[in-house]
């Protein structure tokens, strides 16, 4: 039920209560007043009749009663001192003997004792309710004069009075009904406005205020509600800002974040977590065991939930080769309940770098072991007297030592070069460079080496090729390394070609050969350090296994890209893409 109807019903109930109480009180008051007036009038008539009785003592009581009754229009009874009825205006003479003694009537006793008496009771003689008034008289026979008035006329007056009061009451109720409707509407309007404003505030609508000027109490309520609305808006603004800040932080975090409740249902995840575990669609509100079935993840979650302590573990995702460091922390909630916050750090690069470091140390150790062992062995042989015993063999041994020493020097130089290129502060002297001139210089430097194997080395560089933004020395090293590899792995009488072209704002350099080629399984690893397709043949050619790794780092430092296509037995093509100046 609406407040307006409650207010209307309260008005009506109050009106009915007041009207009913007023009707009863006024009705009782008027009835009592009417009765008192009737008794007073009857007493006045009795006094008048008393005078007539005392003046006309000589008349018989019955005749006197008839005469008085006809004169004053009331029932007149003359009663002797012993209670016998001597005269009755409403009875015949022959009926007097049948009337019982009236000595013990209340009004008679009261008149004899106090000089005046009255009573209301049902009369068996006339069979009606009567109002009696009695006075003592000084007469020869009668001692008490009693007048009686039937109350039927009084009842008619009461009915008329009731009708008047009832009509007035109905009119008042109708007016009260109309006024209740009006007043309830007037009273409920500001309250309804306040309720509507509170509802709008409750759903988060901003700028809602309740107008004042509707009365002291309503204005006080409106001010309180307006202050509350202002505080709620301020809190909502702060909460929204905090939520936006938190969402921005979670979106920008590289670490995956997951929050669960005590039952294991996911409350919050960030995009990094979805990406790490490959979770499409909505996951909030779903159990963790339903969203992700990774055994290490579920085991760590159960361990943390059972122990209630922080848990740290590594999780490997084979599908994407991700290695995650997971940090599980308990989250306190309402009534001491706990949830869980998990942060997943991607340590794949760190693991990969650690693996590369171990591989690098192992590869360097392996590469250094052979020349060092050879140099040590031949040096010891020479120290044992081989140099004096057989001078020709001694010179041969020295040449072998010199060759391996040269190989060690090349290996150390390449390692140092690669270390400088991988350093964080590695910088290049970039200048607009004539690419065609650099290619012709590299061709000239490698032409003698190619000629010894009967290899044709050609270069095609159109004049329209724009300059590139590059470091002269580093770009020459890229070209020389690629040409050196091509010459090493191209059989005698083969061909090596350098071609250039422009693609949009980039310049493409291709170095193609007709050598032994690279098997498909080795193409992805060809730029790794110390990786060789044919280790025995590479070492025979004097390679260190670092040339292509150096080339890759130099090209990447220039903001370029390097790729290779090859077919075993038919040759390879290395493609270098550099930004134009």
């Amino acid at each position: 039920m609406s407040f307006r109807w409650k207010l209307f019903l309260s008005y009506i109930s109050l009106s009915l209560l007041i009207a009913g109480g007023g009707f009863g009180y006024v009705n009782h008051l008027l009835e009592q007043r009417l009765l008192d007036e009737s008794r007073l009038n009857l007493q006045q008539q009795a006094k008048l009749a008393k005078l007539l009785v005392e003046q006309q003592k000589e008349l018989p009581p019955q005749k006197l009663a008839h005469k008085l009754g006809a004169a004053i229009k009331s029932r007149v009874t003359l009663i002797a001192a012993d209670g016998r009825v001597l005269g009755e205006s409403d009875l015949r003479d022959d009926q007097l003997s049948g009337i019982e003694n009236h000595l013990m009537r209340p009004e008679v006793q009261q008149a004899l004792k106090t000089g005046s008496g009255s009573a209301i009771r049902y009369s068996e003689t006339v069979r009606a309710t009567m109002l009696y008034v009695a006075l003592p008289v000084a007469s020869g026979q009668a001692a008490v004069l009693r007048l009686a008035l039937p109350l039927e006329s009084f009842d008619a007056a009461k009915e008329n009075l009731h009708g008047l009061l009832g009509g007035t009451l109905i009119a008042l109720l109708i007016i009260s009904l109309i006024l209740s409707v009006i007043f309830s509407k007037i009273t409920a309007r500001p309250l309804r406005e306040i309720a509507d404003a509170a509802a709008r505030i409750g759903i988060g609508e901003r700028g809602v205020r309740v107008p004042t000027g509707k009365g002291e109490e309503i204005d006080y309520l409106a001010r309180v509600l307006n202050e509350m609305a202002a505080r709620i808006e301020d809190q909502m603004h702060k909460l929204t800002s905090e939520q936006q800040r938190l969402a921005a932080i979670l979106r920008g975090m590289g670490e995956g974040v997951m929050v669960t409740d005590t039952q294991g249902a996911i409350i919050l995840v960030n995009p990094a977590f979805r990406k790490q575990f490959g979770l499409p669609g909505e996951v909030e509100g779903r159990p963790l065991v339903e969203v992700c079935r990774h055994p290490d993840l579920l085991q760590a979650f159960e361990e943390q939930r059972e122990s209630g302590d922080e848990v740290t573990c590594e999780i490997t995702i084979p599908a994407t080769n991700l290695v995650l460091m997971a940090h599980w922390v308990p989250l306190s909630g309402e009534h001491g309940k706990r949830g869980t916050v998990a942060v997943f750090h991607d340590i794949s690069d760190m693991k990969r770098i650690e693996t590369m470091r171990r591989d690098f140390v192992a590869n360097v150790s392996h590469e250094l072991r052979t020349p060092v062992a050879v140099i040590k062995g031949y040096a010891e042989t020479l120290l044992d007297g081989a140099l004096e015993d057989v001078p020709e063999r001694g010179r041969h041994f020295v040449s072998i030592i010199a060759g391996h020493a040269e190989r060690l020097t090349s290996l150390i130089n390449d390692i140092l070069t690669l270390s400088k290129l991988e350093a964080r502060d590695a910088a290049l002297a970039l200048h607009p460079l004539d690419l065609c001139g650099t290619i012709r210089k590299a061709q000239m430097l490698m032409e003698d080496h190619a000629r010894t194997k009967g290899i044709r080395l050609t270069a095609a560089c159109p004049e329209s090729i724009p300059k590139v933004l590059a470091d002269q020395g580093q770009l020459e090293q890229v070209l020389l390394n690629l040409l050196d590899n091509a010459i090493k792995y191209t059989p005698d009488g083969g061909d090596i070609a350098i071609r250039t072209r422009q693609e949009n704002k980039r310049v493409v350099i291709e170095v193609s050969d007709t050598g032994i080629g690279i098997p498909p399984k080795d193409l992805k690893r060809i730029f790794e350090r110390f990786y060789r397709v044919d280790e025995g043949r590479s070492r025979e050619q004097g390679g260190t296994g670092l040339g292509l790794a150096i080339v890759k780092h130099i090209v990447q430092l220039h903001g370029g890209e390097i790729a290779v296509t090859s077919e075993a037995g038919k040759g390879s093509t290395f493609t270098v893409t550099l930004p134009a100046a």
Side-chain angles (χ1 to χ4, degrees):
M1 185 181 295
S2 67
F3 177 79
R4 178 182 173 185
W5 276 105
K6 291 180 180 178
L7 194 63
F8 171 74
L9 291 179
S10 67
Y11 285 154
I12 290 299
S13 301
L14 183 62
S15 299
L16 289 175
L17 180 63
I18 294 175
F23 176 81
Y25 175 73
V26 172
N27 181 62
H28 173 74
L29 187 64
L30 291 179
E31 283 186 359
Q32 190 65 38
R33 183 64 178 271
L34 184 62
L35 186 61
D36 291 343
E37 290 291 335
S38 299
R39 184 181 290 109
L40 183 60
N41 290 333
L42 195 61
Q43 285 177 348
Q44 296 296 330
Q45 291 179 357
K47 289 179 181 180
L48 179 62
K50 176 182 177 181
L51 293 175
L52 293 175
V53 169
E54 290 176 348
Q55 290 177 0
Q56 300 183 13
K57 297 179 181 179
E58 66 280 0
L59 290 177
Q62 176 65 4
K63 186 176 180 181
L64 182 59
H66 280 284
K67 185 177 180 180
L68 290 174
I72 62 178
K73 306 298 181 182
S74 295
R75 179 185 171 191
V76 179
T77 306
L78 296 175
I79 304 170
D82 58 0
R84 291 180 296 108
V85 176
L86 301 176
E88 174 65 55
S89 63
D90 288 351
L91 297 178
R92 299 188 303 274
D93 295 343
D94 58 348
Q95 293 177 328
L96 291 176
S97 60
I99 299 176
E100 62 182 8
N101 192 287
H102 280 33
L103 181 63
M104 301 309 297
R105 295 287 191 270
E107 67 274 10
V108 174
Q109 289 291 321
Q110 190 176 8
L112 293 173
K113 292 178 180 180
T114 64
S116 177
S118 66
I120 297 175
R121 69 173 183 276
Y122 183 77
S123 174
E124 293 293 339
T125 305
V126 297
R127 300 187 181 280
T129 301
M130 305 291 288
L131 171 62
Y132 296 97
V133 172
L135 293 174
V137 294
S139 175
Q141 297 180 356
V144 176
L145 168 65
R146 189 184 72 175
L147 300 184
L149 179 67
L151 293 182
E152 285 81 358
S153 59
F154 181 74
D155 292 337
K158 285 199 301 182
E159 289 179 2
N160 293 333
L161 179 63
H162 288 168
L164 179 62
L165 289 176
T168 304
L169 178 62
I170 292 174
L172 290 175
L173 286 177
I174 293 174
I175 295 173
S176 175
L177 177 64
I178 296 173
L179 293 177
S180 297
V181 173
I182 297 173
F183 289 155
S184 64
K185 186 175 182 180
I186 294 174
T187 306
R189 184 183 297 115
L191 297 177
R192 186 167 58 249
E193 292 176 355
I194 293 176
D196 292 341
R200 291 164 61 191
I201 293 171
I203 62 175
E205 186 175 342
R206 297 188 177 184
V208 179
R209 294 294 183 272
V210 180
T212 56
K214 302 290 181 66
E216 182 178 355
E217 293 80 5
I218 299 297
D219 286 352
Y220 174 74
L221 181 60
R223 286 194 299 270
V224 171
L225 188 63
N226 290 338
E227 292 174 1
M228 181 187 70
R231 288 195 298 270
I232 290 176
E233 287 182 9
D234 184 58
Q235 292 296 326
M236 289 297 294
H237 178 71
K238 291 180 179 178
L239 287 175
T240 302
S241 299
E242 290 296 329
Q243 288 178 347
Q244 291 175 349
R245 187 179 298 111
L246 177 60
I249 292 172
L250 290 176
R251 284 196 304 269
M253 287 179 63
E255 293 80 8
V257 178
M258 177 188 69
V259 182
T260 66
D261 60 14
T262 55
Q263 304 301 321
I266 295 177
I267 300 175
L268 174 69
V269 295
N270 68 339
F273 177 83
R274 294 174 181 272
K275 183 178 180 181
Q276 288 170 347
F277 288 90
L279 302 178
E282 293 296 328
V283 298
E284 285 82 357
R286 297 169 58 189
L288 177 61
V289 67
E290 178 184 327
V291 172
C292 182
R293 298 185 180 274
H294 196 288
D296 294 340
L297 179 71
L298 299 178
Q299 181 180 354
F301 172 72
E302 291 297 333
E303 180 181 349
Q304 190 283 321
R305 189 163 65 168
E306 291 175 3
S307 66
D309 301 325
E310 295 186 12
V311 174
T312 302
C313 64
E314 285 189 12
I315 298 175
T316 303
I317 304 176
T320 55
N321 293 323
L322 279 180
V323 181
L324 304 175
M325 176 64 71
H327 188 198
W328 303 79
V329 181
L331 176 66
S332 298
E334 296 180 358
H335 309 296
K337 295 183 179 180
R338 291 179 175 268
T340 302
V341 178
V343 180
F344 300 87
H345 304 270
D346 186 357
I347 59 173
S348 303
D349 291 338
M350 185 176 11
K351 288 289 185 180
R352 191 177 301 110
I353 291 172
E354 184 179 350
T355 302
M356 291 174 62
R357 181 185 60 81
R358 289 197 302 266
D359 292 345
F360 180 77
V361 172
N363 289 329
V364 169
S365 301
H366 180 71
E367 292 293 334
L368 292 175
R369 186 182 296 113
T370 300
V372 169
V374 170
I375 291 173
K376 181 180 179 183
Y378 280 104
E380 289 176 351
T381 301
L382 291 174
L383 289 174
D384 288 341
L387 185 60
E388 291 83 5
D389 296 342
V390 186
E392 292 80 7
R393 290 184 63 190
R395 284 193 296 273
H396 176 64
F397 289 168
V398 172
S399 66
I400 292 175
I401 290 173
H404 281 280
E406 182 66 27
R407 182 180 173 192
L408 279 176
T409 301
S410 299
L411 180 60
I412 292 171
N413 288 335
D414 286 348
I415 291 175
L416 291 174
T417 300
L418 191 60
S419 177
K420 291 179 181 179
L421 293 173
E422 290 180 342
R424 293 184 178 179
D425 57 350
L428 301 176
L430 300 179
H431 301 283
L433 183 65
D434 181 9
L435 180 60
C436 294
T438 304
I439 291 174
R440 285 193 293 269
K441 182 178 179 181
Q443 178 187 9
M444 180 185 66
L445 292 174
M446 300 302 296
E447 200 162 17
D448 289 341
H449 187 194
R451 193 180 296 113
T452 59
K453 295 182 65 174
I455 296 174
R456 291 179 296 277
L457 180 57
T458 60
C461 185
E463 294 182 358
S464 60
I465 293 297
K467 293 182 179 182
V468 294
L469 195 64
D471 185 300
Q472 174 74 41
Q474 298 293 346
L475 185 56
E476 286 180 3
Q477 186 172 357
V478 169
L479 295 173
L480 292 175
N481 280 356
L482 292 178
L483 291 175
D484 184 55
N485 279 346
I487 293 171
K488 286 178 181 178
Y489 298 106
T490 299
D492 296 349
D495 293 305
I496 298 175
I498 304 174
R499 294 181 294 273
T500 58
R501 68 178 186 274
Q502 182 180 3
E503 290 183 356
N504 297 326
K505 295 182 180 182
R506 302 178 76 83
V507 178
V508 179
I509 307 169
E510 292 182 349
V511 178
S512 302
D513 62 57
T514 57
I516 60 176
I518 303 170
K521 65 182 182 65
D522 297 311
L523 286 176
K524 292 183 179 180
R525 303 188 59 189
I526 197 66
F527 294 104
E528 293 181 9
R529 292 172 293 186
F530 297 111
Y531 186 80
R532 293 185 175 91
V533 176
D534 186 346
E535 292 191 3
R537 184 167 181 176
S538 297
R539 286 195 177 91
E540 289 176 2
Q541 299 288 346
T544 62
L546 297 174
L548 290 179
I550 293 173
V551 168
K552 177 183 177 182
H553 279 81
I554 293 175
V555 172
Q556 289 179 343
L557 285 175
H558 281 80
E561 299 174 354
I562 185 168
V564 60
T565 57
S566 181
E567 187 177 350
K570 294 186 178 181
S572 305
T573 298
F574 285 83
T575 304
V576 176
T577 305
L578 297 174

